[in-house]
Amino acid sequence: GVQSWTFAPVSRSYSNVTNGQLAQNYRVQNYRQISGRVTDLYSGTPVTGVVVRNALSGEMSQTASDGNYTLMVPVGWSGRLSVSHPQGSFAMAYRDYVNVQGDLSGEDYLWTPPNPVISGQITNHFTGDGASGVTVTFSNGGGSTTTAGDGSYSKVVSRDWSGTVTVSYGSGSFALASRSYSHVTTDQAGQNYDWLAPMSVVSGVVNHSITGA
């Protein structure tokens, strides 16, 4: 197996030595390798940027583009390796080890990506300003949300969600009032809508300038 040796201390410095220097000892430590791969639970593709940490020493390794990691531990080591990623979660987020004597490979982990987000902005068709308070409804158990002051909205849906998104407001209308989605697995940004504000009505009476009629 792969072995790694460390020394303590790594070096010593001497100056103008004139007498014997006894007990200049060094301690050697033998290490073993724990390795594995982190993949996407659904697609099986490798996941980069996953941190694998030795909970006891704080030493860590980070997965590369191929999803692989390698961490060295002392022979006889007992402890826990944990995995973390800025997004998503893990089916199993750590492993405990007792008295490691040899290299351990195939210590793999499955990463569950975060649920997809559908987002966009609803703006006034005539002015381009954001339309706040617009209700955005997601069918098939997706719930609903309302637009913020700048007209933006964002909603997390379950993975593989299928359904229709419908926008509604107390006045006016929409150039496009709904969109349908099928088996959503990734974020859907830029799902914008145009709100057509109601036309203002100007009313009054025109009178004859002489007769007043």
Side-chain angles (χ1 to χ4, degrees):
V2 176
Q3 298 187 39
S4 177
W5 303 85
T6 61
F7 297 87
V10 176
S11 64
R12 286 189 174 95
S13 297
Y14 300 88
S15 178
N16 302 320
V17 175
T18 58
N19 298 315
Q21 303 294 309
L22 304 179
Q24 302 301 292
N25 303 326
Y26 293 83
R27 180 170 55 86
V28 65
Q29 176 71 63
N30 190 4
Y31 278 71
R32 296 298 185 185
Q33 175 178 282
I34 299 177
S35 61
R37 191 166 186 252
V38 183
T39 54
D40 187 302
L41 174 67
Y42 301 108
S43 67
T45 56
V47 182
T48 185
V50 175
V51 173
V52 185
R53 185 187 304 272
N54 181 332
L56 185 62
S57 69
E59 293 179 90
M60 67 182 73
S61 174
Q62 186 166 301
T63 57
S65 58
D66 58 5
N68 292 328
Y69 75 90
T70 299
L71 203 62
M72 308 302 291
V73 298
V75 170
W77 176 79
S78 296
R80 171 175 292 184
L81 295 187
S82 61
V83 291
S84 61
H85 191 274
Q87 297 179 314
S89 60
F90 293 88
M92 177 174 63
Y94 64 86
R95 281 191 174 93
D96 290 324
Y97 298 86
V98 177
N99 192 25
V100 174
Q101 294 296 321
D103 294 339
L104 298 174
S105 60
E107 301 295 280
D108 301 337
Y109 293 89
L110 291 174
W111 175 72
T112 303
N115 285 335
V117 175
I118 297 177
S119 61
Q121 186 181 30
I122 300 175
T123 54
N124 186 313
H125 177 77
F126 302 106
T127 67
D129 296 333
S132 64
V134 177
T135 300
V136 187
T137 303
F138 297 72
S139 69
N140 198 19
S144 64
T145 187
T146 56
T147 56
D150 62 354
S152 63
Y153 74 93
S154 178
K155 189 75 170 66
V156 177
V157 297
S158 59
R159 184 179 177 83
D160 210 39
W161 177 80
S162 296
T164 301
V165 174
T166 304
V167 291
S168 60
Y169 201 42
S171 61
S173 60
F174 293 89
L176 174 72
S178 65
R179 283 190 176 97
S180 295
Y181 299 85
S182 180
H183 304 290
V184 176
T185 59
T186 59
D187 291 347
Q188 304 293 309
Q191 305 299 291
N192 304 328
Y193 295 87
D194 278 340
W195 174 63
L196 305 174
M199 301 299 290
S200 299
V201 176
V202 178
S203 62
V205 176
V206 178
N207 295 320
H208 194 284
S209 61
I210 299 176
T211 64

